[in-house]
Structure formats: C-alpha cells, structure tokens
C-alpha cells in the first residue's frame, strides 16, 4: 500500500518463448512511459502498432501493439498500459530494461490485483476468483472461479450485509430515538431479521464443503484385500500402467496416485496396499499407509474379488459409505448386497461394468465438489467468517438488552465485511436518517 505511487510493470503472459508476450503497466507514470518509449499516447482502449525505442539511444527495441487504459476505467483503477511484444526473451529483457530506466519498477506477485482491490475495482472474493481462474485446470474449476471473479459470492455477501445494516439501523433507531414517532416493534423486527439471516447463512455453511473441494480436488482411495484387483482398476481408470499388477498377493506397497478429471472435477485416485495381517514389515508399513490414506480420502472404493468372500475391511468401509466394488465378475457372480447395497460388479480383465463404475465416480465427484455453478464458499476463511457471523446473529437473537442486540449485529456485520474486505458500519446512520427522517 505504501508504494501505490509507483508505476509497476510485469510480464503478464507466461514465461519462455512465445509468439507474443504481454507486458502490463499500472500507475501514475504510465502515460509518461508510453510517450517516451512508444512515441506518444495511443487512443484509449484501441490497439495501435508502434515502434518501441530505448530511452536515450533511441534504438528500436521491437514493433509492438500498444494499448492505453486511462484511469479509472482500467483493471487496477489506475492508468494502465499493455505492450504486446514479440515473445522472445531478448525482446522482453530489452523492453523491461527500458521501462526500468524510465522509472517503472517490476511488480510484486499479485500487485495489479491488489491495486484493483485497493481502488475498489473488485472485492477480496473477486480477487481470489481471479487467482483461482488462473490456477483452474478443469472445467468445473474454471466455472466456479469465473463466477467468483465475476462477483457472485461478493453479491451474495453484500446482499446479506445490506440486510444486516438495515436491521442494525432499526435497532439503533429504537435505542436512540425511543421517544420519537417510530414503530414500537423495531427491536422485535431486528431480532426476527437476525434469526432469518442466520438461517440463510447456515444453509450456505451446510454445503458439504463443495466449493473448497472443487478448488483443492477430490481424493478417492482404493482399498481392499490383497489381489482383489485394485491396481488393475487404477490402471484401467487412468488409461495407463501406473501401478504394478501381479498375481502375487501383496504387490502394491507404496500409495500410487494418478490424477483424473471426472465431471470437470480434479480427482486424485490413490491405489493402496492390500489389507491383511500377514506380510513382512515393508508390507505392514504399506498397509498402515493404505489405512491412513483411506482415512483422509473424500471417498473410498472398497474392492473385493467376486470369487472370494468380502473381507472385513470391505464390510467395514461399506458400512461407512464407501462405494463397494466386486471385481473379477468374469470368475464368479457378485453377491447381491453388502451392508444392504448391491456392489458395483466389474471386471478389470474383460472391461465389464467399468463404464458404470466410471459414471458412478463422476456422480460422486459431482456430489462432493459440485459443478461450479453456484456462488460457493471456496476458502476456509469464507467459512470461518460466516460461522462467526452466524454465531453473532444467534447472540443478537437471544440478547436480553437492545444495546446487546445492537452490539452483536455490529459484530456480525464486521465478520461479513471481512470476507469481501469491505468492513463498514458507518453507513448505518444514513439508513436511520434516510428511512425515518428523524429531525428532518
Ligand atoms: N480374472 C480376473 N483377474 C483379474 C481381474 N483384475 C485383476 N486380476 C488379476 O488379479 C491379480 C491381482 O491384480 P492386482 O491388480 O495386482 O491386485 P491388487 O488388489 O492390486 O493386489 P495387491 O497390490 O497385492 O494388494 C493379477 O494377476 C491380475 O491380473 C479381473 O477382473 N478378472
Ligand atoms: Mg496392487
């Protein structure tokens, strides 16, 4: 914040060689830099082809498309510019050098977006959405990030904040202007409003963590007895021989992970050592790792061989909501039900049932992580602040004195404001005076 008078620049496109490299600038010195390096200011928001020259020597450094975005209608809200250079490392280096000579400095990570936030071009959740959009690797992640960058979460939160602000205004009015001609049930209305808002926030908190999961990816662990065909299933789902398969029980020791995209959701599929009591110390360590991985996973695939009785671990995980898979149905029929649910009958060898297994995994991925098309909480800090806001609303609802209701509503508002980065309770008086015309 202390350096906001600086003019900053950075390579905005990826590193390495490319047809085009985009260098972006922001800050009060942008216009000056353009005049000196590009021979003048181009028309605002229109691409113009310019020769870029080194200050001093006047040597031509590149022929580039130059864009000029005067404040405040720019990404950062400051004067901004873009130089679309030829994408060679020497071009980028020479132009960067020229910009530095003219007094611009390299930007710090995230500094453009930070300035956009500080200049009220976006709230914190939109800034996070942009970071997520740049990091998005799958379709559902992209959708969720774009929605957040577009302000969907901010709008939800600001809607709640506006409601809360009115409740607070009513409550304050009831306290401050008790003798005036105000409706007598203002305090009751504030409490009822707090209860309704609390319930609404609670439904968003009860989203099963979908938004966070979609950002982070879903972890699915494959667990079961030795030789059940776990590694074979991992390989078919991954479409490559990621794990060693053999007829010997106890082949897999380490956890073998592959990354898949299912229903637009990034999924880490983890194959683990077959569970049994026998085996050497290496196998036993593998089994410990298997159990730990399953314990941390979002979903467990409990696999057993259809030609053998389901093992204890399969029965246990079935009871805990695992997806139960009977493999090797080319050798025997799968049992009708385990913990009351028919297992998915598959054969990693013949391919039977694998399409159904894949579809089931896609459905589970969607259930766990959503499709990215609602305004979701995507970070623990959103959840923490909303949990706090809901707690303060509960406090407001139950508070015995008007002043305490008021204080709890203020605290709830501050908690909400932390998520968007716009903490403000000053506007309360505007509402009080605007709505009730107190004192005219
Ligand atoms: N008939 C038949 N054989 C299978 C099938 N799936 C796997 N196998 C065979 O079963 C044996 C064990 O397969 P793996 O995939 O290594 O089994 P695993 O569960 O990973 O075994 P561990 O790593 O030892 O726990 C291998 O010989 C596979 O070829 C199947 O669907 N049908
Ligand atoms: Mg294995």
């Amino acid at each position: 914040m202390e350096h906001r008078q600086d003019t900053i620049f950075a390579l905005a496109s990826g590193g390495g060689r490319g047809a085009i490299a985009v260098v972006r600038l922001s800050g009060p010195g942008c216009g000056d830099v353009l005049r000196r390096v590009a021979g003048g200011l181009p028309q605002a928001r229109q691409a113009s082809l310019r020769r870029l020259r080194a200050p001093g020597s006047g040597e031509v450094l590149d022929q580039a498309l130059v864009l000029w975005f005067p404040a405040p209608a720019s990404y950062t809200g400051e004067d901004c510019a873009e130089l679309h250079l030829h994408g060679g490392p020497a071009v980028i280096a020479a132009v960067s050098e020229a910009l530095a000579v003219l007094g611009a400095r390299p930007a710090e990570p995230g500094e453009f977006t930070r300035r956009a936030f500080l200049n009220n071009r976006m709230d914190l959740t939109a800034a996070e959405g942009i970071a997520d959009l740049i990091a998005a690797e799958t379709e559902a992640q992209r959708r969720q990030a774009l929605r957040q960058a577009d302000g969907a979460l901010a709008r939800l939160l600001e809607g709640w904040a506006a409601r809360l602000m009115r409740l607070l205004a009513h409550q304050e009015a009831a306290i401050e202007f008790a003798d005036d001609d105000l409706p007598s049930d203002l305090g009751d209305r504030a409490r009822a409003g707090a209860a309704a808002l609390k319930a609404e926030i609670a439904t968003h908190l009860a989203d099963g963590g979908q938004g966070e999961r979609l950002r982070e990816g879903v972890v699915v662990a494959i667990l079961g007895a030795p030789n059940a065909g776990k590694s074979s299933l991992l390989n078919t789902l991954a479409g490559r021989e990621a794990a060693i398969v053999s007829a010997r029980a106890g082949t897999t020791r380490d956890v073998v992970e592959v990354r898949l995209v299912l229903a637009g959701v990034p999924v880490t599929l983890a194959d683990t050592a077959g569970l049994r009591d026998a085996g050497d110390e290496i196998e036993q360590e593998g089994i410990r790792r298997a159990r730990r991985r399953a314990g941390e996973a979002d979903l467990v695939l409990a696999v057993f061989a259809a030609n053998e009785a389901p093992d204890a671990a399969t029965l246990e995980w079935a009871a805990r909501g695992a997806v139960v898979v009977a493999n090797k149905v080319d050798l025997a029929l799968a049992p009708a039900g385990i913990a009351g649910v028919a297992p998915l009958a598959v054969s990693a060898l013949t391919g039977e049932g694998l399409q159904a297994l894949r579809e089931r995994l896609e459905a589970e991925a969607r259930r766990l992580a959503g499709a990215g098309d609602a305004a979701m909480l995507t970070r623990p800090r959103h959840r923490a602040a909303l949990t706090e806001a809901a707690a303060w609303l509960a406090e407001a609802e139950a508070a015995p004195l008007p002043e305490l209701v008021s204080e709890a509503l203020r605290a709830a508002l501050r908690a909400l404001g932390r998520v968007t980065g716009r903490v403000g309770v000053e506007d309360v008086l505007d509402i009080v005076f605007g709505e009730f015309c107190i004192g005219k």
Side-chain angles (χ1 to χ4, degrees):
M1 204 184 325
E2 45 301 356
H3 305 301
R4 277 172 76 189
Q5 287 312 304
D6 291 359
T7 296
I8 54 173
F9 72 93
L11 182 64
S13 51
R17 200 173 310 220
I20 293 168
V22 178
V23 170
R24 183 195 234 180
L25 292 108
S26 180
C30 270
D32 209 37
V33 167
L34 282 190
R35 273 186 218 100
R36 297 188 51 195
V37 84
L41 276 187
Q43 280 253 319
R45 288 175 292 281
Q46 284 188 21
S48 8
L49 186 63
R50 296 291 170 102
R51 276 180 215 286
L52 302 187
R53 293 180 184 274
S57 73
E59 186 193 350
V60 176
L61 301 175
D62 192 16
Q63 184 147 275
L65 277 185
V66 178
L67 286 123
W68 161 238
F69 303 97
S74 70
Y75 180 73
T76 60
E78 305 172 332
D79 283 347
C80 281
E82 277 177 22
L83 308 174
H84 295 212
L85 313 170
H86 290 100
V91 178
I92 298 166
V95 171
S96 299
E97 165 76 23
L99 298 177
V101 165
L102 292 173
R105 71 161 166 83
E108 284 157 25
E111 201 172 0
F112 287 90
T113 304
R114 188 190 181 95
R115 288 184 176 201
F117 167 69
L118 292 172
N119 291 322
N120 284 324
R121 298 293 290 168
M122 63 180 71
D123 81 312
L124 276 186
T125 64
E128 289 170 337
I130 288 175
D132 290 351
L133 195 52
I134 293 166
E137 287 180 345
T138 74
E139 190 59 8
Q141 282 184 322
R142 179 189 65 73
R143 244 183 263 132
Q144 173 164 285
L146 187 59
R147 200 165 287 265
Q148 191 173 321
D150 197 36
L153 185 54
R155 282 191 289 280
L156 178 70
L157 292 159
E158 276 157 16
W160 287 343
R163 269 165 66 186
L164 195 43
M165 193 94 78
R166 281 194 68 205
L167 297 179
L168 181 56
H170 290 175
Q171 184 62 43
E172 301 271 281
I175 297 170
E176 298 281 327
F177 310 105
D179 304 334
D180 291 72
D181 262 353
L182 294 176
S184 59
D185 63 342
L186 276 181
D188 296 339
R189 277 202 244 161
R191 270 176 227 262
L197 188 54
K198 186 192 69 181
E200 204 169 307
I201 292 177
T203 56
H204 280 262
L205 284 169
D207 61 2
Q210 284 188 332
E212 286 124 306
R213 273 225 198 78
L214 181 51
R215 265 192 83 230
E216 304 278 332
V218 169
V219 176
V220 179
I222 308 179
L223 204 71
N227 246 348
K230 300 180 295 300
S231 301
S232 305
L233 283 174
L234 176 95
N235 290 347
T236 26
L237 288 169
R240 64 190 171 91
E241 303 300 308
I244 299 172
V245 166
S246 92
R248 227 174 72 187
T251 302
T252 306
R253 304 293 178 86
D254 287 313
V255 176
V256 179
E257 295 189 342
V258 298
R259 300 266 292 168
L260 308 173
V261 178
L262 296 172
V265 176
V267 175
T268 300
L269 190 60
D271 176 30
T272 64
L275 305 175
R276 62 173 174 180
D277 293 330
D280 57 20
E281 60 186 292
I282 302 171
E283 189 174 349
Q284 283 306 312
E285 174 57 24
I287 291 169
R288 266 193 294 281
R289 291 180 186 203
R291 291 192 197 279
R292 196 179 327 133
R293 204 76 181 98
E296 297 161 354
D298 298 305
L299 180 73
V300 169
L301 280 193
V303 181
F304 69 99
N307 58 339
E308 288 176 20
D311 52 296
T314 296
L315 297 175
E316 180 197 329
W317 280 97
R320 292 168 62 179
V323 170
V324 183
V325 178
N327 188 35
K328 306 194 185 185
V329 287
D330 52 299
L331 298 181
L333 284 178
I338 293 192
V341 184
L344 278 167
V346 307
S347 167
L349 189 71
T350 66
E352 186 183 342
L354 287 178
Q355 183 56 25
L357 173 60
R358 192 176 285 275
E359 282 165 16
R360 175 66 188 275
L361 287 175
E362 282 173 357
E364 294 288 340
R366 259 193 299 269
R367 176 181 68 79
L368 288 163
D373 24 67
M376 302 300 290
L377 312 181
T378 56
R379 297 181 192 235
R381 72 169 199 94
H382 304 160
R383 191 168 296 282
L386 287 189
T387 305
E388 192 190 321
W392 281 118
L393 287 169
E395 196 124 322
E397 199 187 338
L401 293 173
E403 285 76 9
L404 295 179
V405 176
S406 201
E407 209 173 292
L409 291 177
R410 262 175 210 283
L413 191 54
R414 269 195 299 273
L416 276 188
R418 273 209 308 280
V419 186
T420 52
R422 308 226 187 288
V423 184
V425 278
E426 306 78 26
D427 316 348
V428 169
L429 284 184
D430 291 349
I431 298 181
V432 175
F433 287 105
E435 268 187 31
F436 302 114
C437 303
I438 290 155
K440 299 287 184 298

